[in-house]
């Protein structure tokens, strides 16, 4: 009996399984009729049954599963209608668009494979000719679906509702790859991100990146796309840069402390030796003064040790943070190079490329890239200025490395290049100011060299050398003056130009002019 019961149960299960495999019939014609009457849910159920039944019949006969194009067309029409229905949840619209486009794209694939355009293909993918009543071109079904979301996006964009515009341009882009949609979607999302609260901006940025990537895939390379990518990449270096700036003050203070304490230690050590080994031993207070000097040596030594510890820690942290920042700079450089390649002659992208070469201490690469750009546009003011700045920086770098011949060579190249900028535009404030500053800095370097000369009493130990340096300082100060004067005339309210001019007049000892400039600066405070 138990054996029989088991058989009976299995038989019933088998029967249930066979019944479950049966596919409910559906009709594409009925689904289309439901759609025409606006009965969307019935249309959806009917078309899914129709598609399923067609697949079921073909599978059961062992034939290739190829749903009829008319059935696919109706399926796409129904999901398009659901997608644009105001009652459809916003969360469901993307899936409905994808479902519609899956059906429409299957018909397109068949046309591409066969080379034959069916009636369904033409209705979905080709314009339908002019409307007799209006004379306007009737769009294809795909263009109609795309246009629905694009137009909502465009209206929202014009009303500055950037989040709504972004969402609808993104939906339009799901329908078809179109550079206009991608471009305005990118602009909308960038604006939405700018206006969003911090906690929302990150999610919007992902959408902005999506639009940028879609545009790149369509071989569309607007400079604004690269500007956004550069901003995103550079932000990762921001915290490291801020901390490095803070550490620079710590390093400067520590170095100053070490320099001051070292001098104090040397002086105290000299006094200690004077009172213990030298002529000071004869004084009755020699022992006490020696003890005081020794204590000062110990205190200075402790101060040096403490400052050195601070300095070492700060330098180590700077090194680590610089490595972190360089990762971001490499990414920025990569973006700028790609952007400049796809937008030849764009001054902003080329300047950004140069800036990141410099940040990465790749001056030779930077110079080569600017020269390459100038080969195409030799009289471009911005590019010529960039090259002058690079020569200027290369001269400074060589000077710090004590490569005097190389420093002089780059200095002369910088002078010539700044003069070329001024030839191109005699009112180039950047060119005039930088050339004036270049000459002034050379004068200041000679002045510092003179101040560092050994003294003999109240006079320089080598008066001839001091006079030589003084002559050079005056020479370069006078070379700087005309450029600083011209830029100050062009922008009389810019304090940095007046500050440069004040320093030059101080060196040239033109006291009347110095006083006049200083009065202007005081009035600005």
């Amino acid at each position: 009996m138990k054996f029989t019961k088991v058989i009976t149960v299995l038989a019933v299960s088998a029967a249930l399984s066979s019944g479950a495999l049966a596919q409910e019939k559906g009709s594409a014609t009925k689904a289309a009729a439901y759609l025409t009457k606006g009965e969307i849910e019935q249309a959806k159920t009917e078309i899914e049954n129709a598609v399923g039944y067609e697949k079921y019949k073909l599978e059961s006969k062992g034939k290739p599963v190829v749903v009829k194009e008319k059935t696919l067309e109706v399926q796409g029409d129904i999901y398009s209608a659901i997608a644009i229905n105001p009652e459809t949840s916003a969360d469901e619209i993307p899936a409905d668009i994808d479902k519609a486009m899956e059906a429409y794209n299957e018909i397109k694939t068949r046309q591409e494979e066969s080379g034959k355009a069916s009636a369904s293909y033409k209705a979905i993918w080709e314009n339908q000719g002019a409307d007799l009543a209006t004379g306007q071109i009737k769009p294809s079904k795909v263009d109609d679906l795309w246009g629905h979301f694009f137009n909502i996006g465009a209206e929202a964009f014009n009303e500055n509702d950037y989040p709504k515009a972004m969402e609808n341009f993104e939906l339009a882009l799901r329908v078809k790859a179109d550079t206009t949609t991608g471009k305005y979607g990118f602009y909308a999302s960038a604006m939405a991100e700018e206006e969003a609260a911090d906690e929302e901006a990150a999610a919007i940025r992902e959408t902005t990146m999506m639009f940028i990537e879609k545009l790149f895939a369509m071989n569309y390379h607007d400079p604004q796309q690269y500007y956004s990518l550069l901003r995103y990449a550079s932000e990762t270096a921001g915290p490291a840069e801020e901390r490095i700036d803070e550490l620079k003050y710590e390093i400067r203070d520590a170095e100053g402390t070490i320099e001051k304490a070292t001098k104090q230690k040397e002086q105290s050590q000299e006094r200690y030796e004077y009172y213990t080994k030298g002529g000071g031993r004869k004084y009755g207070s020699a022992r006490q003064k020696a003890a005081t000097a020794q204590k000062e040596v110990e205190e200075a030594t402790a101060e040096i040790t403490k400052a050195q510890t601070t300095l070492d820690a700060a330098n180590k942290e700077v090194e680590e943070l610089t490595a972190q920042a360089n990762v971001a700079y490499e990414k920025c450089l990569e973006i700028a190079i790609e952007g400049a390649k796809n937008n030849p002659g764009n001054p902003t992208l080329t300047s950004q490329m140069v800036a990141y070469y410099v940040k990465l201490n790749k001056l030779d690469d930077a110079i080569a890239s600017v020269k390459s750009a100038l080969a195409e546009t030799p009289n471009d003011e911005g590019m010529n200025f960039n090259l002058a700045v690079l020569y200027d920086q290369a001269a400074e770098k060589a000077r710090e490395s004590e490569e005097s011949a190389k420093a002089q060579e780059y200095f002369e190249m910088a002078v010539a290049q700044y003069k070329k900028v001024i030839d191109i535009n005699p009112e180039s404030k950047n060119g005039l100011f930088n050339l004036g500053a270049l000459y002034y800095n050379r004068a200041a370097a000679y002045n510092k060299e003179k101040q560092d000369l050994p003294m003999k009493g109240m006079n320089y130990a080598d008066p001839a050398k001091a006079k030589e340096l003084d002559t050079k300082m005056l020479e370069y100060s006078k070379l700087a003056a005309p450029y600083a004067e011209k830029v100050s005339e062009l922008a009389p309210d810019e304090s940095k130009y007046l500050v440069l001019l004040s320093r030059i007049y101080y060196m040239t000892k033109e006291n009347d002019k110095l006083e006049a400039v200083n009065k202007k600066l005081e009035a600005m405070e």
Side-chain angles (χ1 to χ4, degrees):
M1 289 295 292
K2 287 182 180 179
F3 185 77
T4 304
K5 282 186 178 179
V6 171
I7 291 294
T8 304
V9 170
L10 290 174
V12 171
S13 299
L16 288 171
S17 298
S18 296
L21 290 172
Q23 170 66 47
E24 189 173 347
K25 289 184 179 181
S27 163
T29 303
K30 285 183 180 180
Y34 282 132
L35 179 60
T36 301
K37 291 187 288 184
E39 297 174 357
I40 301 292
E41 284 303 317
Q42 293 91 326
K44 179 179 176 181
T45 301
E46 190 68 27
I47 196 61
E48 287 304 319
N49 286 336
V51 171
Y53 188 67
E54 285 188 26
K55 290 180 178 179
Y56 169 74
K57 284 198 302 181
L58 293 167
E59 285 173 349
S60 63
K61 295 177 181 178
K63 294 182 178 180
V65 178
V66 182
V67 177
K68 294 175 185 175
E69 287 195 6
K70 186 61 183 176
T71 303
L72 290 171
E73 180 186 356
V74 173
Q75 186 184 34
D77 295 347
I78 290 169
Y79 280 97
S80 292
I82 295 170
I84 66 175
N85 190 325
E87 296 181 4
T88 301
S89 166
D91 294 337
E92 296 174 359
I93 293 174
D96 293 324
I97 292 174
D98 292 347
K99 189 80 173 177
M101 293 311 300
E102 183 183 358
Y104 288 159
N105 282 322
E106 173 61 26
I107 294 171
K108 184 180 181 181
T109 300
R110 293 181 190 179
Q111 183 274 334
E112 290 170 348
E113 291 174 349
S114 67
K116 297 177 182 178
S118 65
S120 290
Y121 172 83
K122 290 178 180 179
I124 294 165
W125 292 99
E126 295 179 357
N127 291 331
Q128 302 304 294
D131 186 296
L132 295 178
T134 64
Q136 293 181 337
I137 298 295
K138 294 169 66 177
S140 66
K141 290 181 177 181
V142 166
D143 282 342
D144 205 30
L145 179 60
W146 167 83
H148 170 83
F149 295 108
F150 183 86
N151 289 336
I152 294 173
E155 185 177 348
F157 189 91
N158 290 333
E159 293 174 354
N160 300 329
D161 187 348
Y162 299 116
K164 183 177 179 180
M166 173 188 74
E167 291 165 6
N168 281 278
F169 286 135
E170 183 178 1
L171 292 171
L173 209 55
R174 294 183 90 96
V175 177
K176 68 173 184 176
D178 170 77
T179 55
T180 301
T181 308
K183 180 172 67 175
Y184 281 102
F186 162 62
Y187 292 153
S189 61
M191 293 299 293
E193 182 187 340
E194 188 175 314
E195 294 179 354
D198 290 344
E199 60 271 16
E200 298 172 351
I204 296 174
R205 179 172 292 191
E206 291 181 10
T207 304
T208 307
M209 290 294 297
M210 178 276 297
F211 280 117
I212 291 173
E213 288 166 5
K214 292 277 188 183
L215 287 166
F216 285 161
M218 291 184 273
N219 201 30
Y220 187 86
H221 298 269
D222 189 283
Q224 292 292 338
Q225 296 161 222
Y226 291 98
Y227 300 160
S228 289
L229 292 177
L230 282 168
R231 179 165 58 86
Y232 297 156
S234 65
E235 282 176 2
T236 61
E241 290 175 332
E242 289 176 11
R243 179 59 183 150
I244 288 171
D245 286 341
E246 292 172 1
L247 288 166
K248 284 179 180 177
Y249 290 105
E250 291 184 24
I251 289 169
R252 185 192 64 188
D253 290 345
E255 288 176 338
T257 298
I258 291 169
E259 183 179 0
K260 182 180 176 182
T262 299
K263 287 181 180 178
Q264 179 64 50
K265 180 180 176 180
E266 289 171 354
Q267 291 170 358
S268 298
Q269 185 66 38
E270 285 177 9
R271 286 204 311 277
Y272 175 78
E273 291 179 0
Y274 175 73
Y275 288 115
T276 58
K277 300 177 184 178
R281 288 181 298 171
K282 63 185 178 180
Y283 297 109
S285 59
R287 182 176 296 179
Q288 182 182 351
K289 289 182 177 180
T292 300
Q294 185 178 22
K295 185 178 180 183
E296 289 174 356
V297 169
E298 291 169 355
E299 288 173 351
T301 301
E303 198 171 359
I304 292 168
T305 301
K306 183 179 178 182
Q308 188 64 52
T309 301
T310 300
L311 180 61
D312 292 342
N315 281 327
K316 183 180 179 184
E317 189 175 352
V318 165
E319 186 178 345
E320 292 169 351
L321 290 168
T322 300
Q324 291 176 24
N326 283 348
V327 173
Y329 297 155
E330 289 285 3
K331 180 63 178 176
C332 289
L333 178 59
E334 180 184 321
I335 293 166
I337 289 172
E338 187 68 16
K341 183 182 77 175
N342 287 301
N343 295 274
N346 180 283
T348 302
L349 287 169
T350 304
S351 295
Q352 287 288 301
M353 178 174 64
V354 170
Y356 285 107
Y357 271 132
V358 172
K359 282 180 180 288
L360 290 163
N361 202 25
K362 297 179 178 180
L363 280 176
D364 290 343
D365 290 330
I367 290 169
S369 70
V370 176
K371 283 184 173 180
S372 176
L374 283 171
E376 301 293 327
T377 53
N379 292 318
D380 184 283
E381 181 185 343
M383 285 298 101
N384 276 287
F385 178 75
N386 285 339
L387 186 56
V389 171
L390 288 170
Y391 287 149
D392 197 338
Q393 292 177 338
E396 179 65 16
K397 183 181 175 184
R399 188 186 66 79
E400 289 174 355
S401 302
E402 298 183 354
E403 299 175 85
S404 55
K406 194 172 183 181
Q408 182 61 26
E409 180 184 1
Y410 275 124
F411 174 84
E412 292 170 1
M413 292 166 75
V415 168
Q417 197 63 36
Y418 281 131
K419 286 182 177 178
K420 183 173 182 181
V421 172
I422 296 166
D423 286 342
I424 294 169
N425 176 11
E427 296 189 350
S428 168
K429 292 193 287 291
N430 287 335
L432 290 163
F433 175 73
N434 277 30
L435 182 52
L438 180 65
Y439 279 134
Y440 166 77
N441 289 335
R442 174 56 65 92
Y446 284 128
N447 186 47
K448 186 177 186 307
E449 190 177 346
K450 185 186 81 169
Q451 289 176 344
D452 290 342
L453 289 175
M455 301 293 292
K456 188 175 182 180
M458 298 297 293
N459 300 312
Y460 288 106
D462 186 348
K465 182 65 176 178
K467 186 177 180 180
E468 177 192 340
L469 292 171
D470 213 29
T471 301
K472 287 182 177 179
M473 178 192 72
L474 187 61
E475 176 190 351
Y476 281 96
S477 297
K478 288 183 175 180
L479 285 171
Y483 300 103
E485 289 167 347
K486 179 68 180 292
V487 75
S488 296
E489 289 170 9
L490 292 170
D493 296 327
E494 280 281 353
S495 62
K496 72 175 183 178
Y497 301 148
L498 291 173
V499 168
L500 173 62
L501 196 54
S502 172
R503 291 174 178 174
I504 291 168
Y505 287 151
Y506 179 80
M507 281 191 173
T508 59
K509 296 181 171 57
E510 295 176 87
N511 294 329
D512 291 343
K513 292 181 178 180
L514 174 62
E515 185 178 352
V517 170
N518 286 342
K519 282 182 179 178
K520 289 182 182 178
L521 285 168
E522 287 170 8
M524 291 180 180
E525 293 178 355

